[in-house]
Amino acid sequence: MDLTIKNNEAKFLVRLADTSLILGQRLAEMCSNGPFLEEDIALSNISLDLFGRAEEMYKIICDIEGNNFTPDDLVFRRNEREYFNIKLVEQPNEDFAWVIVRQFLHDIYVQEVYTQLLNSENSEVVGLAQKVLKEVRYSYIHSKDWMERLGLGTEESNARVQSAVDHQLKYIEEIFAFDELDKTYLADSDQLRSVWENDVNATLAACNLERKEIMPLTMRDFRDGFHSEHIGHLLSIMQYLPRAYPDAKW
Amino acid sequence: MDKFEKAFNDIIEKDLKVEPRDWMPEKYRKTLIRQVSQHAHSEIIGMQPEGNWLLRAPSLRSKQVLLAKIQDEAGHGLYLYSVAETLGISRQEMNAQLHSGEAKYSSIFNYPTLTWADMGAVGWLVDGSAIVNQVSLQRTSYGPYARGMVRICKEESFHQRQGYEIMVKMAFGTPEQKEMAQDALNRFWEPSLMMFGPHDADSAHSSQSMAWKIKRESNDHLRQRFIDRTVPQAEYLGLTIPDPNIKWNEETGHYDHSPFNWDEFWNVVNGNGPCNQERLDHHKKALSDNTWVREAAAAYAVKTENVVA
Amino acid sequence: MESGDKVWEVFIQKKPGLAFKHVGSCHAYDKKMAIQNARDLYTRRGEGRALWVVPADAIVAVPLDDSEAFFDPGDDKVYRHATFYKTPDGVKYL
């Protein structure tokens, strides 16, 4: 099956859909592993929002591409280099601080992306953006509250969240290396960066966390299907059944 | 008999509800704590065998449904822990009892989930049997427990259907899928029936619990209801119940079945099932790996809300 | 209870105009977390539009021993109920 996405808008949207899906899968890993049950439920809720968002976005993409394939085909039959998520979201759940920092850095970014998509010429995208913004607002409050608790909580929690920040900021630079597609479909890509920078800097400062200088890394762009090694393991688990039984329907 | 005991007896006799601040016999309280905490732990440990397939769910739809279902189980565990808390035991104490082995959870969750069809079998048979039990408990005499059951039954109505839907897809799918479905039924049939507990004659706590209306129907009665409902559902799927003696009995109006393997049941209850150790270790690890998170949350609250730690 | 982990009672308003109803309790370490946990635990199926949480230890109840003294005196004040009064046939809107 040829799952190449050819349309430009679909190529742009699949980055968002994949980002949502992969983060959803990472959060699902936290199920029954949270610090207490209430938090398990909270993370599951956010994970469900992310899967739902990805599915809706894949539907729009399939629609644009002429419905030659389905959302499930896109999820379960593409290989590593055909995935276009930001690398941040494939980073593992080293500890609860990693989960929260990753979520927080993602939520600010996505909140501004979907705000800008309210201006899209595609009414389906606008409809989805309206729904997503409510979900992200909640997720953002949740992750930001936890940034505060962990940053200001104990010495240990501060050290753990600082180390998560230090690591994950490495995967941010590529997000803002906008290409022509981003510039076409985002209302104001420059603003995306400034909104993100302002919020991150203010939050880190308020949470007694440092933003250290990060040397530019050579890791190639997610827009070209480049990843960290984590993606292969994630996909091999996620795609196991449809790959092992290609003729089965589930 | 003092006026409090009389008031309690009146409540039971008139089928009213006992509330947290009412007087109750110490043994009534203890029995309830044992039953409710076991019920709560079952919901929580039950998240693990299903969580085992969450990341491998084969479609976007099944992934979301399964996650929502496991999330409900966490929620139902919480409702039940709250009920137990109204009886004067803290969640921390309940966790400690779970970890020491003093408190039990349903033995069914000590069996491994080996294929995707097990997600079908767990929903269909394990949730199915839990629902029969829980519907009956909606009339239990302890108010918070009864109200919790009403809420839980309402929310769980989709759980069994979700499981049966998977069974339908598998049973009518490829030969490999059908084989997985039959294998799952083979492995989960008898353990699901034993979820109802020992036979009435061998059940240590049953008669007093029935007298206090904590339990409203006996183990054997509920088990038979479940069998009678489930056998035709298996027939629809074209699957064979792994018991050669399953047969409709015109005289009794019920299905007959073979005796169960109670030795295995007790062995698993007593900690020697395939996954007992793994389930408890997983639960302990999630708690202990995150001690620092809870400490941070507590320290933050002290700093920001002027609460006393 | 683990240090810092508090029980909160949860009240939900189903629709604007209705009274808040007690639905159960939840655990949380601080107010914001209590609101979020209550939301995730009790409104996953759209059960409410507004939500209160109250620290469980802030709730004061009538002691069991005094319940007769508190509530029985209300039982014989039938004149507080509308059904106590007779209205002449044919008179409306009372």
Side-chain angles (χ1 to χ4, degrees):
Chain A
M1 186 185 293
D2 182 12
L3 293 168
T4 317
I5 292 168
K6 301 182 183 83
N7 174 279
N8 275 344
E9 187 183 16
K11 277 184 191 172
F12 168 76
L13 294 176
V14 82
R15 297 170 184 171
L16 300 176
D18 288 350
T19 294
S20 220
L21 174 78
I22 300 297
L23 185 56
Q25 181 80 355
R26 275 286 182 246
L27 282 184
E29 289 172 19
M30 290 301 293
C31 187
S32 83
N33 292 304
F36 40 86
L37 281 167
E38 286 83 351
E39 189 54 30
D40 248 45
I41 295 180
L43 294 176
S44 299
N45 251 356
I46 298 169
S47 176
L48 281 170
D49 283 345
L50 287 161
F51 286 134
R53 185 180 314 163
E55 185 171 18
E56 292 305 311
M57 195 63 99
Y58 287 129
K59 278 187 197 155
I60 296 174
I61 292 163
C62 292
D63 209 25
I64 295 175
E65 289 288 325
N67 290 316
N68 298 318
F69 39 73
T70 65
D72 276 340
D73 293 331
L74 288 175
V75 171
F76 294 98
R77 314 250 178 199
R78 279 181 301 157
N79 67 28
E80 293 85 340
R81 297 295 311 283
E82 295 166 314
Y83 261 88
F84 300 98
N85 56 282
I86 57 174
K87 291 185 195 75
L88 173 72
V89 295
E90 57 191 48
Q91 298 311 305
N93 306 326
E94 287 291 326
D95 65 11
F96 187 70
W98 279 55
V99 174
I100 292 302
V101 171
R102 186 183 60 207
Q103 194 67 36
F104 176 66
L105 299 177
H106 162 272
D107 288 347
I108 313 175
Y109 157 67
V110 161
Q111 190 158 241
E112 183 57 22
V113 166
Y114 283 91
T115 304
Q116 296 197 7
L117 288 181
L118 291 175
N119 300 313
S120 167
E121 285 167 15
N122 184 333
S123 63
E124 306 253 331
V125 172
V126 174
L128 179 56
Q130 286 166 340
K131 176 169 167 282
V132 168
L133 281 170
K134 288 184 210 160
E135 298 166 356
V136 176
R137 180 74 200 153
Y138 183 77
S139 175
Y140 170 79
I141 292 171
H142 171 266
S143 59
K144 192 169 175 165
D145 283 353
W146 270 112
M147 288 294 289
E148 251 185 75
R149 287 189 194 103
L150 299 181
L152 304 177
T154 62
E155 228 173 274
E156 179 179 8
S157 69
N158 180 278
R160 281 178 185 260
V161 78
Q162 181 70 58
S163 130
V165 167
D166 294 347
H167 181 87
Q168 293 184 21
L169 281 176
K170 290 184 207 165
Y171 299 100
I172 296 305
E173 198 55 38
E174 66 168 0
I175 295 176
F176 303 113
F178 300 113
D179 66 359
E180 282 311 310
L181 288 181
D182 294 320
K183 288 175 189 160
T184 307
Y185 295 102
L186 289 171
D188 185 349
S189 51
D190 289 341
Q191 166 147 334
L192 189 52
R193 172 144 217 170
S194 61
V195 166
W196 190 90
E197 292 283 343
N198 290 342
D199 196 333
V200 167
N201 291 338
T203 304
L204 292 184
C207 299
N208 194 19
L209 296 163
E210 251 184 285
R211 182 161 179 190
K212 294 179 187 150
E213 189 77 30
I214 301 216
M215 296 302 287
L217 296 167
T218 308
M219 52 171 68
R220 299 194 180 182
D221 201 310
F222 75 92
R223 294 167 185 82
D224 301 319
F226 287 104
H227 296 272
S228 55
E229 287 182 346
H230 303 296
I231 190 75
H233 300 278
L234 186 150
L235 293 184
S236 65
I237 292 172
M238 184 172 78
Q239 298 179 334
Y240 152 66
L241 278 173
R243 298 268 199 184
Y245 303 94
D247 301 326
K249 293 204 168 53
W250 305 95
Chain B
M1 195 186 308
D2 66 15
K3 67 170 180 176
F4 292 129
E5 193 174 350
K6 187 177 173 310
F8 174 82
N9 291 340
D10 275 357
I11 289 174
I12 301 296
E13 196 192 324
K14 290 184 188 148
D15 250 344
L16 302 172
K17 301 295 178 207
V18 179
E19 294 300 331
R21 285 164 193 274
D22 290 343
W23 181 91
M24 60 188 90
E26 204 40 40
K27 206 155 162 262
Y28 176 88
R29 181 191 303 275
K30 286 231 166 78
T31 304
L32 265 172
I33 288 180
R34 189 179 48 77
Q35 178 169 335
V36 175
S37 73
Q38 172 169 338
H39 198 161
H41 293 322
S42 299
E43 297 278 358
I44 299 311
I45 298 294
M47 293 166 72
Q48 292 181 38
E50 290 182 309
N52 182 39
W53 279 92
L54 177 57
L55 302 175
R56 292 178 288 173
S59 68
L60 277 167
R61 183 175 191 271
S62 62
K63 190 188 283 291
Q64 291 170 75
V65 169
L66 186 58
L67 181 51
K69 177 170 186 276
I70 300 174
Q71 188 191 37
D72 269 353
E73 276 147 20
H76 297 166
L78 286 180
Y79 297 157
L80 289 160
Y81 284 131
S82 297
V83 171
E85 281 174 318
T86 65
L87 292 159
I89 184 169
S90 72
R91 202 192 297 174
Q92 207 190 8
E93 286 170 288
M94 285 186 270
N95 276 333
Q97 290 181 353
L98 173 66
H99 293 168
S100 75
E102 187 187 340
K104 303 286 184 207
Y105 54 88
S106 183
S107 268
I108 191 88
F109 301 119
N110 290 318
Y111 290 88
T113 52
L114 300 178
T115 73
W116 175 250
D118 290 14
M119 293 305 97
V122 166
W124 174 37
L125 301 174
V126 177
D127 285 273
S129 121
I131 288 166
V132 167
N133 191 33
Q134 288 171 169
V135 165
S136 172
L137 285 171
Q138 291 182 103
R139 297 190 298 123
T140 187
S141 59
Y142 187 56
Y145 195 24
R147 292 190 288 274
M149 282 300 116
V150 171
R151 179 181 278 272
I152 287 173
C153 286
K154 207 163 110 194
E155 295 191 357
E156 282 198 357
S157 57
F158 91 82
H159 292 190
Q160 193 185 14
R161 288 184 184 192
Q162 167 266 355
Y164 198 68
E165 184 185 277
I166 292 175
M167 292 308 285
V168 170
K169 288 215 169 110
M170 303 291 281
F172 295 101
T174 65
E176 284 158 318
Q177 284 177 301
K178 182 160 188 183
E179 199 181 313
M180 285 187 233
Q182 180 65 55
D183 171 58
L185 173 58
N186 292 350
R187 283 181 287 113
F188 279 96
W189 173 253
E190 193 170 291
S192 302
L193 300 185
M194 292 197 283
M195 279 175 72
F196 291 96
H199 287 306
D200 298 343
D202 310 320
S203 179
H205 310 282
S206 266
S207 58
Q208 180 63 72
S209 283
M210 296 279 285
W212 274 330
K213 296 185 181 169
I214 294 176
K215 282 173 73 154
R216 301 307 305 254
E217 292 169 279
S218 78
N219 294 352
D220 286 329
H221 193 82
L222 292 168
R223 178 167 24 237
Q224 189 64 52
R225 179 177 301 155
F226 175 71
I227 294 173
D228 292 347
R229 285 178 185 183
T230 309
V231 173
Q233 294 167 355
E235 281 166 3
Y236 172 82
L237 295 171
L239 300 177
T240 311
I241 300 276
D243 176 356
N245 295 315
I246 281 283
K247 216 175 33 244
W248 180 252
N249 182 329
E250 283 291 346
E251 226 164 274
T252 59
H254 295 293
Y255 283 92
D256 291 336
H257 58 81
S258 306
F260 306 127
N261 182 355
W262 290 107
D263 289 344
E264 174 178 317
F265 175 80
W266 288 113
N267 202 32
V268 177
V269 168
N270 291 325
N272 304 315
C275 299
N276 296 57
Q277 187 72 42
E278 286 84 347
R279 300 293 186 238
L280 278 185
D281 285 352
H282 180 115
H283 193 264
K284 288 179 195 166
K285 185 172 187 307
L287 273 179
S288 68
D289 282 356
N290 289 297
T291 305
W292 68 271
V293 179
R294 297 190 300 278
E295 284 170 359
Y300 173 81
V302 170
K303 283 176 198 167
T304 56
E305 301 199 344
N306 301 321
V307 295
V308 183
Chain C
M1 199 172 304
E2 199 169 77
S3 152
D5 176 21
K6 294 187 0 177
V7 178
W8 306 70
E9 298 299 334
V10 182
F11 299 81
I12 288 179
Q13 187 187 37
K14 230 175 154 171
K15 296 193 271 205
L18 294 182
F20 279 73
K21 196 178 158 198
H22 182 241
V23 292
S25 61
C26 74
H27 282 231
Y29 288 76
D30 57 57
K31 292 177 206 166
K32 284 189 289 185
M33 196 194 287
I35 285 277
Q36 289 177 19
N37 290 350
R39 175 250 195 200
D40 287 341
L41 187 54
Y42 290 103
T43 68
R44 289 198 303 286
R45 290 169 170 80
E47 291 93 332
R49 305 304 306 166
L51 192 139
W52 292 341
V53 291
V54 180
D57 57 17
I59 292 192
V60 184
V62 173
L64 185 63
D65 277 348
D66 296 342
S67 68
E68 287 174 8
F70 266 76
F71 302 117
D72 288 0
D75 286 351
D76 60 357
K77 311 283 193 297
V78 283
Y79 43 80
R80 284 185 177 134
H81 299 275
T83 46
F84 178 70
Y85 303 91
K86 272 196 190 135
T87 39
D89 289 346
V91 177
K92 290 181 184 170
Y93 308 117
L94 268 177

